[in-house]
Amino acid sequence: MRKKIAAANWKMNLNLTEALQLIQSLDSHLKQLKPNQQVILGVPFPLLIPVKNLISNYKHVDVAAQNCYSKLQGAYTGEVSPSLLKGLNINYVILGHSERRDYFNESNDFIKEKVALALQQQLTPIFCCGEALEIRNANNQNDFVKNQIKESLFHLNAQQISQVIIAYEPIWAIGTGKTATSLQAQEMHHFIRSVIAEKYGVACSENISILYGGSVKANNAFELFNQPDVDGGLVGGASLIATEFNTIIENLI
Ligand code: PEP
């Protein structure tokens, strides 16, 4: 059975004191997660270990790095190796977020290398894909997202891709307060699953968690997460507000 996941993307927000306060305010919800539910907190690199320690008593909660590099070691000042992360007991890494594609010029090919190395190091990639508004307006979103998946994931074998969590994040919905309708989300998630099924078979596609990201809030999580192919959310802004994120967790169904 697919996991239902509420993944937080804190981006470059929260200091350690604020992180501690937030986790305290999530406590009762984190305690009550069922075995098929998971919360993953995507935190800035310096907070990975302190936050990992803070959540160590919760069974179904873990942390994610927000990036890693495509090499294991060497003269790459400022980069972080997936093997270093794994050595610190980090299990998840967000890759291909649209902010990294946009501000740091990350290409499908570069993300492909990172995905491969992350998996080789037994890190679970949370692979982000999604189209810009012009592409949606031209009704080319399916081809665009299929191409992102093809170019960054189709080098994997079935066993490897089944380790990947996919996050569909239409760029026009990220941080804009403009959410995809539940129908738009369901259509794209169903399409993504069919793309995976075509290459790897239906059984494999049915086991992959596909999260929706883009202005998920307390007041729209129920409708979005209720769609058959939506397995939870990757949540930016609302994951920083305890009351919002608690309600989002409550709606993991
Ligand atoms: C994100 O950054 O991945 C995201 C979905 O942000 P927000 O929820 O703020 O739109």
Side-chain angles (χ1 to χ4, degrees):
M1 198 162 80
R2 297 199 292 269
K3 283 235 162 157
K4 304 295 174 178
I5 300 169
N9 181 9
W10 289 1
K11 311 192 187 193
M12 203 173 70
N13 293 300
L14 302 186
N15 61 33
L16 185 53
T17 310
E18 291 163 338
L20 173 62
Q21 282 163 357
L22 177 59
I23 291 164
Q24 279 169 346
S25 309
L26 301 176
D27 175 68
S28 61
H29 284 72
L30 298 182
K31 269 186 197 145
Q32 282 172 33
L33 291 167
K34 303 192 184 87
N36 70 326
Q37 299 173 324
Q38 185 152 34
V39 168
I40 303 171
L41 303 174
V43 309
F45 287 125
L47 295 189
L48 278 168
I49 300 306
V51 171
K52 180 102 185 166
N53 290 335
L54 285 172
I55 55 152
S56 62
N57 287 331
Y58 304 110
K59 254 189 164 167
H60 307 294
V61 185
D62 209 341
V63 295
Q66 296 175 11
N67 184 30
C68 69
Y69 197 47
S70 59
K71 302 273 191 274
L72 287 183
Q73 64 178 62
Y76 303 104
T77 303
E79 291 298 333
V80 173
S81 158
S83 61
L84 178 65
L85 293 172
K86 193 63 199 182
L88 295 170
N89 213 13
I90 306 302
N91 298 311
Y92 296 89
V93 59
I94 299 172
L95 292 175
H97 192 279
S98 62
E99 287 154 13
R100 294 212 60 87
R101 292 175 186 265
D102 187 12
Y103 306 146
F104 303 98
N105 293 319
E106 293 196 3
S107 64
N108 288 343
D109 218 39
F110 185 46
I111 296 161
K112 168 186 173 180
E113 289 177 35
K114 295 190 193 201
V115 166
L117 203 61
L119 282 168
Q120 190 213 79
Q121 295 300 309
Q122 279 142 34
L123 283 166
T124 297
I126 301 173
F127 169 79
C128 303
C129 54
E131 79 287 352
L133 189 58
E134 316 82 82
I135 293 169
R136 164 80 46 178
N137 285 343
N139 203 24
N140 283 334
Q141 64 275 10
N142 285 8
D143 285 349
F144 184 85
V145 169
K146 183 175 183 177
N147 191 52
Q148 286 182 318
I149 291 174
K150 228 169 105 182
E151 293 194 357
S152 296
L153 298 184
F154 273 12
H155 60 298
L156 303 174
N157 63 34
Q159 190 275 333
Q160 289 169 318
I161 202 163
S162 65
Q163 309 299 309
V164 175
I165 296 168
I166 296 179
Y168 168 60
E169 299 210 301
I171 297 170
W172 46 271
I174 297 180
T176 58
K178 201 173 165 189
T179 319
T181 64
S182 50
L183 181 66
Q184 285 172 321
Q186 169 55 25
E187 278 175 357
M188 179 57 86
H189 284 224
H190 184 72
F191 174 71
I192 291 172
R193 215 177 288 290
S194 73
V195 167
I196 306 285
E198 211 179 349
K199 165 102 176 147
Y200 297 98
V202 173
C204 176
S205 77
E206 286 296 322
N207 277 326
I208 293 184
S209 293
I210 307 179
L211 314 184
Y212 168 78
S215 298
V216 174
K217 309 274 179 225
N219 64 10
N220 58 27
F222 176 77
E223 220 196 310
L224 286 161
F225 297 176
N226 233 335
Q227 302 305 311
D229 286 294
V230 177
D231 303 311
L234 177 55
V235 187
S239 74
L240 302 170
I241 304 163
T243 48
E244 286 280 320
F245 200 54
N246 274 331
T247 306
I248 290 167
I249 294 172
E250 278 167 27
N251 282 298
L252 279 181
I253 32 159

